Amino acid sequence: MTLKEFKEHFFKRLSPLYPDQEIESFFRILIETYLGLRSIDVHLNPDKKIKLKKLDQLLAARERLVLFEPLQYILGETEFYGLHFTLNPDVLIPRPETEELVEWILNDLEAGTNSRILDIGTGSGCIAVSLAKQLPLAQVDALDVSEGALNLAAHNAELNKVDIRFLQQNILETESFETSYDIIVSNPPYVRNLEKTEIQANVLNFEPHLALFVEDHDALIFYRKIAELAIRSLSSEGKLYVEINQYLAEETQVLFKETGFKEVELRLDFAGKPRMIKASL
Ligand SMILES: C[S@@+](CC[C@H](N)C(=O)[O-])C[C@H]1O[C@@H](n2cnc3c(N)ncnc32)[C@H](O)[C@@H]1O
């Protein structure tokens, strides 16, 4: 099959499912990844034949897109805070809102800080690895209940040449931490079942439900536990940063105040939604 023919087939197969702009973007990324070509190369050399093995890879990727699998899982990688991360279905795909949470922490800290930092529910390790990369003297710990997530996060730490201590732990069953921390950060599960209808098929069918969902009747379970543990294990100037459910911003703020945090600051994300809280003792 030639480049031109493949492009035609690709668009024909995906156009009932995705807008043209998105198909164009998938096509550009796939030919760059599998063939090392740019879109312009397809126009310059439309009759160039695609090698059979490469064509098989491209067709397999296209069929996964037909099933609405996210491109990041198909490629097995993504970018977060300017770094490369390997991905697999054991972990959530890092989101741009979470980069804003990382940015908030970095703006509050000196680059040369030797702060002790804990990331709860590290997943791909995106938060912990980004902080460790920007703060080379900080001591970063990262925990998750999922062994698969921790294995991948450890791989991502190695990939980005940072030193992180990983702990397999169920936060809901944790009584206390051995270490005192200056910064605790978390993007815990917070989506209620009643919000499932808002979630697209590509998220619902492919991303780990362990990373996403909480019971409707106790949607703040992770925030309550994290706040209680943080109150006991943060240093006197310590701070807790969390990503939150935009629909529960008010309740989450109240919970942190009731747990004993003196200052609770809410921030909007780039889309104007209340998505982050910093709590100080
Ligand atoms: C929303 S994801 C966040 C992943 C990553 N930090 C990010 O921002 O992309 C929540 C993470 O919490 C982990 N998790 C879920 N329940 C947990 C528990 N009881 N104890 C510890 N981690 C848990 C999941 O495995 C998942 O990696």
Side-chain angles (χ1 to χ4, degrees):
M1 196 184 278
T2 65
L3 283 172
K4 181 168 174 262
E5 285 166 343
F6 174 69
K7 186 170 183 183
E8 281 167 8
H9 280 268
F10 190 82
F11 271 73
K12 204 167 157 201
R13 183 94 173 106
L14 296 182
S15 58
L17 306 171
Y18 295 95
D20 278 0
Q21 225 178 341
E22 209 172 346
I23 305 174
E24 188 68 49
S25 156
F26 291 150
F27 180 76
R28 186 176 47 74
I29 294 169
L30 289 177
I31 62 161
E32 193 187 325
T33 307
Y34 293 113
L35 306 178
L37 296 177
R38 302 159 303 159
S39 292
I40 185 81
D41 295 320
V42 180
H43 297 292
L44 294 175
N45 205 350
D47 297 324
K48 184 180 161 77
K49 285 245 185 302
I50 304 174
K51 291 206 175 89
L52 213 53
K53 200 169 151 208
K54 296 285 176 195
L55 184 62
D56 282 348
Q57 287 175 330
L58 287 164
L59 292 175
R62 186 194 66 183
E63 289 313 296
R64 289 170 75 175
L65 287 170
V66 168
L67 297 174
F68 294 108
E69 183 165 350
L71 189 63
Q72 294 94 328
Y73 287 144
I74 298 173
L75 300 175
E77 62 177 26
T78 195
E79 226 183 78
F80 182 89
Y81 214 79
L83 300 173
H84 279 292
F85 286 84
T86 299
L87 280 190
N88 69 30
D90 282 332
V91 302
L92 193 83
I93 298 168
R95 305 293 204 269
E97 304 86 274
T98 311
E99 291 182 304
E100 294 187 65
L101 185 67
V102 169
E103 181 82 0
W104 193 358
I105 300 171
L106 289 172
N107 281 337
D108 285 353
L109 291 174
E110 301 284 328
T113 183
N114 60 358
S115 294
R116 289 149 303 168
I117 300 175
L118 173 67
D119 174 23
I120 299 175
T122 198
S124 61
C126 59
I127 298 175
V129 170
S130 305
L131 292 175
K133 193 75 187 171
Q134 297 294 326
L135 307 168
L137 300 182
Q139 297 166 49
V140 182
D141 289 351
L143 74 78
D144 206 292
V145 72
S146 155
E147 190 181 353
L150 284 171
N151 288 338
L152 191 73
H155 166 83
N156 282 325
E158 210 178 303
L159 188 71
N160 288 291
K161 302 186 172 54
V162 291
D163 209 9
I164 292 174
R165 185 168 68 131
F166 289 101
L167 312 158
Q168 188 176 10
Q169 213 161 314
N170 182 341
I171 196 70
L172 300 177
E173 292 171 1
T174 301
E175 292 303 325
S176 61
F177 299 123
E178 284 169 10
T179 314
S180 149
Y181 292 102
D182 303 304
I183 302 287
I184 295 180
V185 54
S186 186
N187 173 18
Y190 58 67
V191 183
R192 290 170 294 177
N193 284 300
L194 61 90
E195 286 151 15
K196 257 187 185 158
T197 48
E198 288 178 28
I199 298 197
Q200 290 175 335
N202 57 350
V203 175
L204 211 53
N205 295 340
F206 292 96
E207 300 210 61
H209 286 198
L210 176 70
L212 290 167
F213 293 107
V214 284
E215 299 287 342
D216 289 9
H217 69 270
D218 198 7
L220 297 181
I221 183 168
F222 284 96
Y223 296 91
R224 191 174 314 108
K225 186 71 190 183
I226 290 168
E228 284 165 10
L229 286 164
I231 283 281
R232 275 183 265 134
S233 51
L234 278 174
S235 59
S236 56
E237 298 286 295
K239 308 226 177 316
L240 169 65
Y241 295 82
V242 288
E243 188 169 314
I244 60 163
N245 182 326
Q246 57 172 316
Y247 303 116
L248 298 170
E250 183 85 39
E251 292 89 328
T252 314
Q253 279 177 286
V254 169
L255 185 152
F256 285 165
K257 285 200 183 121
E258 285 177 356
T259 316
F261 284 99
K262 294 220 170 62
E263 272 179 55
V264 178
E265 186 183 339
L266 178 73
R267 267 209 190 168
L268 307 184
D269 66 11
F270 58 88
K273 295 177 179 161
R275 293 302 292 270
M276 290 160 266
I277 284 179
K278 169 166 79 171
S280 317
L281 297 170

